Amino acid sequence: MAREDPTAWGTAEDGPLAADQLDTFDRLGYHAEQSLLTPQEVETFQREGARLAADSDLRKDERTVIEEKSQEVRSVFEVHRISEVFARLTADPRVVGPARQMLGSEVYVHQSRVNYKPGFGGGPFYWHSDFETWHAEDGMPAPRAVSVSIALTENYPYNGSLMIIPGSHRTFVPCVGQTPHDHHRNSLRTHSVAIGMPDQDSVSELARNAGGIQQFTGPPGSATFFDSNCMHGSNGNITPYPRSNIFIVFNSVDNVLGEPFGAPTPRPTYIASREFTPVPR
């Protein structure tokens, strides 16, 4: 279905993005920064990410997702609540400023996590639109949310870096099938399940219309902001080079969650926050 909602809700006058950068985000669905964080800041976040992954108590917590095959940590959710280091990052103007501009409003953190894709064992994330899941399972009314993925390690073309189909945010692809109870417990561990995944014909059509797929590579500290309805995914990592990223989702305070549109119950709040307090300025 053709998207009816805007992509860029703010204007260049709202800053920090210039008019051409905002236009590119509106047209393609993403905006990339090659050096959002300094090398010193990256080292701080790397240490904090490693600390969380090595925490034996946190590994037992439901906020931690374990790789199905390698049994290594795949993701740790709600890091802005369990880590003061990551909490400060969500309020950093370099991170939240573009989100406010893109969404044209104050924002709150819908979701945060560290994604780990260890060498020789990091599994893939199959093609998906976040908004489709957030709409169906979390009750997000409209695609007025933006994600930022910040690299903690070098993102090479061969270690499972982010891929987005340019312009795919302009089309909503609903996924067939009824959402099972507690579906998130399986879907977060593996993307081999069919529920919540788009059909191959739809992905092929989006890629054909876009003329290809954009892959995002870059050094530690680089970042990609992308619209919640972008069709995106990443390959598994069979290389010796680990890939880890901080992932923060900002939602407009004018787009808060209600009842799920396609699931029996909402997902847990560590995945989809129902605390709508704006990120402080």
Side-chain angles (χ1 to χ4, degrees):
M1 297 181 287
R3 176 184 182 138
E4 298 179 356
D5 299 276
T7 304
W9 294 73
T11 66
E13 287 70 30
D14 300 325
L17 300 185
D20 59 334
Q21 295 174 313
L22 201 60
D23 288 344
T24 298
F25 172 74
D26 185 62
R27 177 169 52 87
L28 299 178
Y30 51 78
H31 167 73
E33 294 276 357
Q34 281 298 299
S35 55
L36 187 71
L37 303 181
T38 67
Q40 293 77 19
E41 290 171 321
V42 168
E43 289 182 4
T44 298
F45 295 122
Q46 287 174 337
R47 287 195 298 269
E48 184 68 355
R51 184 187 70 82
L52 296 180
D55 188 319
S56 57
D57 290 332
L58 186 58
R59 183 182 175 91
K60 302 170 188 174
D61 192 286
E62 61 182 357
R63 289 173 290 192
T64 300
V65 181
I66 306 301
E67 287 277 2
E68 190 175 37
K69 293 182 179 180
S70 68
Q71 292 298 296
E72 295 194 62
V73 174
R74 179 180 176 93
S75 301
V76 177
F77 280 81
E78 209 173 38
V79 292
H80 72 293
R81 295 196 184 280
I82 62 178
S83 164
E84 291 184 5
V85 174
F86 289 126
R88 290 194 297 269
L89 181 64
T90 61
D92 190 306
R94 294 169 296 176
V95 177
V96 69
R100 289 193 185 104
Q101 182 183 15
M102 292 166 176
L103 302 179
S105 70
E106 295 298 320
V107 299
Y108 71 93
V109 178
H110 169 71
Q111 182 188 105
S112 70
R113 66 181 187 263
V114 176
N115 283 339
Y116 306 86
K117 193 170 283 192
F120 299 118
F125 288 86
Y126 190 74
W127 289 109
H128 63 288
S129 157
D130 289 326
F131 174 67
E132 202 281 338
T133 298
W134 298 342
H135 181 70
E137 299 187 37
D138 300 335
M140 183 178 287
R144 195 174 177 179
V146 66
S147 302
V148 55
S149 177
I150 305 173
L152 292 181
T153 56
E154 187 81 31
N155 279 231
Y156 297 108
Y158 42 76
N159 68 340
S161 56
L162 174 69
M163 299 183 293
I164 295 178
I165 299 178
S168 57
H169 64 302
R170 294 290 189 181
T171 304
F172 177 70
V173 181
C175 298
V176 299
Q178 185 174 358
T179 307
H181 181 66
D182 280 350
H183 172 58
H184 66 279
R185 297 190 185 279
N186 288 325
S187 64
L188 296 175
R189 294 178 64 235
T190 173
H191 277 289
S192 62
V193 293
I195 301 297
M197 298 295 107
D199 63 278
Q200 293 181 358
D201 288 343
S202 294
V203 176
S204 297
E205 182 179 354
L206 289 173
R208 184 167 56 250
N209 292 340
I213 293 168
Q214 178 68 42
Q215 188 171 28
F216 294 88
T217 59
S222 59
T224 305
F225 295 81
F226 60 100
D227 181 82
S228 59
N229 196 48
C230 282
M231 192 64 69
H232 65 288
S234 63
N235 288 315
N237 185 12
I238 62 171
T239 76
Y241 308 108
R243 172 187 176 258
S244 61
N245 291 55
I246 310 167
F247 192 83
I248 305 168
V249 181
F250 295 104
N251 189 26
S252 169
V253 295
D254 299 323
N255 192 45
V256 300
L257 308 187
E259 291 299 311
F261 290 89
T265 57
R267 294 192 300 174
T269 56
Y270 66 85
I271 298 175
S273 177
R274 291 182 179 267
E275 170 54 61
F276 308 131
T277 304
V279 174
R281 288 184 179 268

